[in-house]
Amino acid sequence: MGAYKNPSSHCAVKFDDPIEAAEITQFADLLLRQVERAKQRTQSGEAGA
């Protein structure tokens, strides 16, 4: 599994702008919801829709 990790992404990131930090968090949430929806479509047989 370690071969698939991005070592440079495992570092501390300091966000000085709380708005930017919130936007990044919201974007990550959006991506996770899209993944969940895709999983649900795949499991219900709608992968091609």
Side-chain angles (χ1 to χ4, degrees):
M1 193 66 175
Y4 299 106
K5 292 183 181 179
N6 181 357
S8 64
S9 70
H10 298 279
C11 60
V13 178
K14 183 178 178 185
F15 290 106
D16 295 327
D17 181 4
I19 301 295
E20 182 181 9
E23 290 171 340
I24 291 170
T25 302
Q26 291 173 336
F27 180 61
D29 180 64
L30 172 66
L31 293 176
L32 287 171
R33 283 186 282 134
Q34 293 293 327
V35 168
E36 288 300 317
R37 288 179 187 147
K39 284 172 37 179
Q40 290 174 358
R41 284 194 308 266
T42 301
Q43 291 171 354
S44 67
E46 300 176 21

